[in-house]
Amino acid sequence: MPRPCCCRRVVAKPPCGLFKPAGVPCRSLEEIVLTLDELEAMRLADLEGLYQEQASGRMNVSRQTFARIVESARKKVAQALVEGKALRIEGGVIEMANMRKFMCYECKKEWEVPHGTGRPQQCPECGSVTIHRHPEDRGGWGWRGGRGRGRCLRGGGMAAGSKATKSPEA
């Protein structure tokens, strides 16, 4: 009996779940199912241009598993394009990535980015670099506020006798 699939982290669901050749009714087309994790693998590798090691970390899978997922996805998309089949996007063993909320101090714009994608460098609205985590998003990881007075309990800092862990903002 094969091992069960581990959960793969996905940033977001696609805006539409079906792509088909124009002018052909869907009922007369064969469908190929592309899973959400396969779409995420293609997004990371082909759209963002990440190396497999980086992309596998974002999806919470091994590099070898990522390579198999992206290979399967590319084959399905190529088959749909070449053979004129419909491509349905659904399913897969996934977990949705947590979102982090940021705010610009200049224009007061608020926006969200997926956990694990790195800190934004500037505001998408005005281009300002004075951006910070949104006040309501600062809870959960031991954040205490102030300038150097608190210590991070589960994040980037180390308390005496504790093990280092990944920062929640990294």
Side-chain angles (χ1 to χ4, degrees):
M1 188 167 157
R3 250 178 80 190
C5 275
C6 65
C7 227
R8 285 102 189 248
R9 187 176 301 130
V10 173
V11 169
K13 291 184 178 181
C16 53
L18 180 72
F19 289 90
K20 68 174 194 66
V24 183
C26 197
R27 65 182 171 272
S28 65
L29 289 171
E30 275 188 61
E31 285 185 358
I32 296 176
V33 176
L34 184 71
T35 60
L36 290 166
D37 55 325
E38 289 172 331
L39 179 66
E40 179 72 2
M42 284 184 58
R43 185 186 73 77
L44 293 171
D46 300 331
L47 261 166
E48 289 195 20
L50 296 179
Y51 290 108
Q52 287 186 356
E53 193 68 36
Q54 296 168 309
S56 65
R58 285 213 195 157
M59 285 187 66
N60 200 27
V61 296
S62 70
R63 193 212 48 84
Q64 295 87 350
T65 299
F66 180 83
R68 283 191 299 273
I69 294 169
V70 79
E71 180 185 355
S72 169
R74 288 174 176 161
K75 184 176 181 178
K76 288 177 180 182
V77 170
Q79 183 182 5
L81 293 173
V82 171
E83 298 175 4
K85 296 181 178 182
L87 193 60
R88 181 170 301 278
I89 303 167
E90 64 184 14
V93 181
I94 63 160
E95 67 178 1
M96 298 306 288
N98 296 332
M99 300 298 277
R100 296 178 302 147
K101 196 171 186 179
F102 286 87
M103 183 175 122
C104 175
Y105 279 171
E106 299 292 324
C107 69
K108 305 297 184 218
K109 175 165 178 64
E110 299 175 2
W111 73 98
E112 291 184 338
V113 295
H115 182 74
T117 58
R119 182 179 173 80
Q121 298 300 310
Q122 61 187 26
C123 171
E125 186 78 23
C126 69
S128 170
V129 294
T130 57
I131 59 171
H132 301 278
R133 291 289 288 271
H134 195 278
E136 66 189 40
D137 195 33
R138 290 181 178 164
W141 286 88
W143 188 83
R144 298 289 184 259
R147 292 184 64 89
R149 297 219 165 196
R151 66 185 166 134
C152 193
L153 300 178
R154 283 190 273 166
M158 283 194 40
S162 68
K163 293 182 181 178
T165 58
K166 274 190 175 178
S167 169
E169 288 191 9

